[in-house]
Amino acid sequence: MAGSKYVYVKRFEMPDSLLPGTFTVVRIDGHGFHRFSTEHSFTRPNDERALKLMDQAAQSVMEEYSDIILAFGQSDEYSFLLRKDTKLHNRRHSKILSLLLSLFTSSYTFYWSKYFHEVELKYPPSFDARIVLYPSAKEVRDYFAWRQVDTHINNLYNTAFWALVQQGGESTTQAHALLKGTQSAQKHELLFSRFGINYNHIDVRFRKGSVLVREVQTHSTPGQSMYLTAATASPGSCDSASDNVPAVGAANVASREIRGVTGRREKVIRSVRVRHDDIVGNTFWEARPELLEG
């Protein structure tokens, strides 16, 4: 199309390419979610429906963009790691940020009724987002360790706080005062001695958050499948088989056919799975060295 006399205004657009040779992390956070969760009567301290909805929205984003190799979520936030050598949208900051954020937000709204069957969405949820660049694998690992440790700290506090309010009869002000300045061990002791709650037995989803990774699934006969990954059998891991979140998306799911040892043709699919692994230690990362390759 021929340019008009007005095309000169494009010169005012600023270039915003991300620094090459760096890992890109996009973090999406709920905006005003304290009010949102109150208005929609989220269960305290954890609403499993809301967490699964966040997982579903994140899975939609990861299935749409194959350059996303890992995601981690807790509460009302999700972080997405792109391949270090990604060329997605020519590494344009504004393009990547706006597209991931808009798809996440629209997916959250689209799937709302799937998880909140009897709860009407009273007003549109909103999220904000930022992009952070990291120079090496060390900073990437430390970033995700930071988010998972934050998950534990927040959940331990919230579990103790709401136990005091819901079971202990304390007001919210009194509960905050009782917990002020307490250490982790003291919160564990309070939960067990006063309410018989062993924090380590609480659902791992609440304590560790959700990790989204791509795993290889083979189909050899109708109705039979198997996931192939070194981490699948790792201690403390949990996949999404019981999470009511689809394992295979419609977009960007790589598949191929191989001939197995029995001579039967098998279809191999790399699909997004929701897990609840420890990502602070080495086991998760050593089982997936490709995540942090340059």
Side-chain angles (χ1 to χ4, degrees):
M1 179 182 293
S4 72
K5 67 178 181 179
Y6 306 111
V7 74
Y8 78 93
V9 297
K10 286 183 61 67
R11 297 201 301 266
F12 289 87
E13 295 180 11
M14 297 291 292
D16 62 348
S17 295
L18 298 171
L19 189 68
T22 55
F23 289 99
T24 301
V25 173
V26 180
R27 185 164 81 245
I28 295 175
D29 289 289
H31 178 71
F33 254 61
H34 179 75
R35 175 192 167 216
F36 184 85
S37 61
T38 301
E39 289 282 341
H40 293 90
S41 303
F42 282 17
T43 303
R44 310 291 187 179
N46 293 291
D47 192 311
E48 190 171 12
R49 300 167 301 172
L51 295 174
K52 288 183 176 181
L53 176 55
M54 289 289 290
D55 292 342
Q56 178 76 76
Q59 193 163 346
S60 297
V61 173
M62 197 165 173
E63 287 167 351
E64 180 67 22
Y65 295 101
S66 59
D67 276 22
I68 299 174
I69 54 177
L70 175 71
F72 175 78
Q74 58 144 331
S75 185
D76 63 345
E77 75 165 53
Y78 242 99
S79 298
F80 300 91
L81 174 66
L82 278 71
R83 292 189 296 109
K84 189 175 184 179
D85 62 351
T86 182
K87 299 298 189 297
L88 182 64
H89 297 298
N90 294 318
R91 296 181 68 91
R92 287 182 57 192
H93 183 287
S94 58
K95 198 81 169 180
I96 294 172
L97 191 66
S98 60
L99 285 173
L100 267 61
L101 176 59
S102 62
L103 180 56
F104 186 94
T105 305
S106 62
S107 296
Y108 188 94
T109 304
F110 182 80
Y111 288 109
W112 173 267
S113 61
K114 177 179 178 180
Y115 297 94
F116 288 85
H117 312 290
E118 306 299 326
V119 181
E120 180 184 0
L121 188 59
K122 297 181 179 180
Y123 63 89
S126 62
F127 296 84
D128 59 53
R130 72 201 69 183
I131 286 180
V132 185
L133 302 179
Y134 293 102
S136 73
K138 178 185 184 303
E139 288 81 16
V140 171
R141 280 196 54 174
D142 286 349
Y143 171 82
F144 284 100
W146 169 48
R147 300 321 303 142
Q148 188 165 70
V149 169
D150 189 68
T151 304
H152 161 70
I153 292 172
N154 290 338
N155 190 64
L156 178 58
Y157 183 93
N158 290 334
T159 301
F161 175 85
W162 287 106
L164 287 168
V165 173
Q166 295 170 347
Q167 301 177 50
E170 308 285 355
S171 69
T172 55
T173 301
Q174 291 170 326
H176 280 304
L178 286 168
L179 293 174
K180 185 177 180 180
T182 56
Q183 302 299 311
S184 176
Q186 293 170 295
K187 294 183 183 73
H188 278 273
E189 176 60 26
L190 181 150
L191 284 169
F192 190 75
S193 62
R194 285 194 59 174
F195 307 108
I197 298 174
N198 185 331
Y199 181 77
N200 293 322
H201 292 168
I202 291 175
D203 192 334
V204 68
R205 169 192 292 279
F206 305 147
R207 293 184 287 113
K208 294 186 180 294
S210 295
V211 184
L212 271 61
V213 291
R214 301 182 193 278
E215 294 182 347
V216 176
Q217 180 186 20
T218 63
H219 290 272
S220 56
T221 58
Q224 294 183 341
S225 64
M226 176 176 63
Y227 281 86
L228 305 177
T229 173
T232 301
S234 62
S237 67
C238 173
D239 67 22
S240 65
S242 62
D243 286 346
N244 196 30
V245 178
V248 181
N252 283 328
V253 179
S255 65
R256 62 188 177 89
E257 287 190 348
I258 61 173
R259 188 170 298 278
V261 293
T262 62
R264 292 181 300 178
R265 296 183 67 83
E266 297 181 335
K267 189 174 183 180
V268 177
I269 301 173
R270 291 186 63 83
S271 53
V272 178
R273 301 291 290 180
V274 180
R275 304 176 60 86
H276 307 293
D277 295 312
D278 177 89
I279 55 175
V280 177
N282 294 325
T283 303
F284 174 86
W285 301 99
E286 289 175 350
R288 301 171 178 82
E290 71 281 358
L291 292 177
L292 300 179
E293 290 176 350

